[in-house]
Amino acid sequence: MTAPDPDGLLAEQLLRLTRRVHRIQKRHLEHRDLGITPAQSRLLRTLAHYGSPPRMADLAERLEVVPRAVTTLVDGLESAGKVRRVPDPANRRVIRIELTDDGRTALRELHGARHCAAEEILAPLTDEQRVVLGGLLDTLVDGPDMERGRRTA
């Protein structure tokens, strides 16, 4: 008989939680009938973090995908009126991507859908458990070096 693998169990729990989060977020997105896929949602959220319209290559790097994937996402969002391609003022060969007013409205709706999904997922936890979970997730997302830096700072 083999001993249980606690790390394997944790990994499985994390994967199951990730799938649940995606399912719930997708349901909340569909409920709002935005016609935006989760991947397009991620691109819109990423785009909103730039101070000025980024190049497609910048988006691909930030999203950690190949440029072709960004092109496909931008094509769909542009057709839906959420983003537009604009020429770079300094280099006419470069195209930048900017949010439209409809894109900003969609972002607000997306934020609301994500907030509702998070509330649904976190509902069973007390405030104290949420704080502990937040700290644990920060450690997992940022890695141990960031956690050590926080303790010594």
Side-chain angles (χ1 to χ4, degrees), residues 75-86:
D75 287 347
L77 288 168
E78 188 175 39
S79 294
K82 308 293 188 237
V83 301
R84 71 177 141 251
R85 289 172 166 93
V86 294

Side-chain angles (χ1 to χ4, degrees), residues 39-61:
Q40 289 172 330
S41 167
R42 186 170 172 235
L43 186 137
L44 285 175
R45 289 191 322 271
T46 301
L47 189 55
H49 288 285
Y50 282 92
S52 60
R55 300 172 308 138
M56 295 262 235
D58 299 329
L59 287 168
E61 184 178 330

Side-chain angles (χ1 to χ4, degrees), residues 7-131:
D7 289 340
L9 176 60
L10 279 174
E12 181 59 31
Q13 287 174 306
L14 285 171
L15 291 172
R16 286 178 34 220
L17 177 59
T18 300
R19 287 191 296 268
R20 182 168 183 249
V21 167
H22 284 273
R23 275 193 319 273
I24 290 171
Q25 283 185 347
K26 185 176 179 183
R27 180 170 35 85
H28 281 274
L29 280 175
E30 289 169 353
H31 177 72
R32 290 175 186 253
D33 198 28
L34 295 173
I36 295 174
T37 68
Q40 289 172 330
S41 167
R42 186 170 172 235
L43 186 137
L44 285 175
R45 289 191 322 271
T46 301
L47 189 55
H49 288 285
Y50 282 92
S52 60
R55 300 172 308 138
M56 295 262 235
D58 299 329
L59 287 168
E61 184 178 330
R62 176 83 59 95
L63 293 168
E64 297 178 343
V65 298
V66 296
R68 177 71 190 123
V70 170
T71 300
T72 301
L73 292 172
V74 168
D75 287 347
L77 288 168
E78 188 175 39
S79 294
K82 308 293 188 237
V83 301
R84 71 177 141 251
R85 289 172 166 93
V86 294
D88 183 304
N91 183 346
R92 65 182 179 171
R93 292 175 296 171
V94 174
I95 299 296
R96 296 191 175 269
I97 309 303
E98 70 179 8
L99 284 169
T100 63
D101 289 341
D102 282 350
R104 284 185 206 47
T105 300
L107 266 174
R108 285 191 293 277
E109 285 290 318
L110 290 168
H111 178 75
R114 288 170 58 89
H115 180 78
C116 289
E119 281 301 314
E120 182 178 334
I121 291 163
L122 298 172
L125 301 179
T126 65
D127 288 344
E128 184 178 302
Q129 289 172 321
R130 290 177 186 211
V131 169

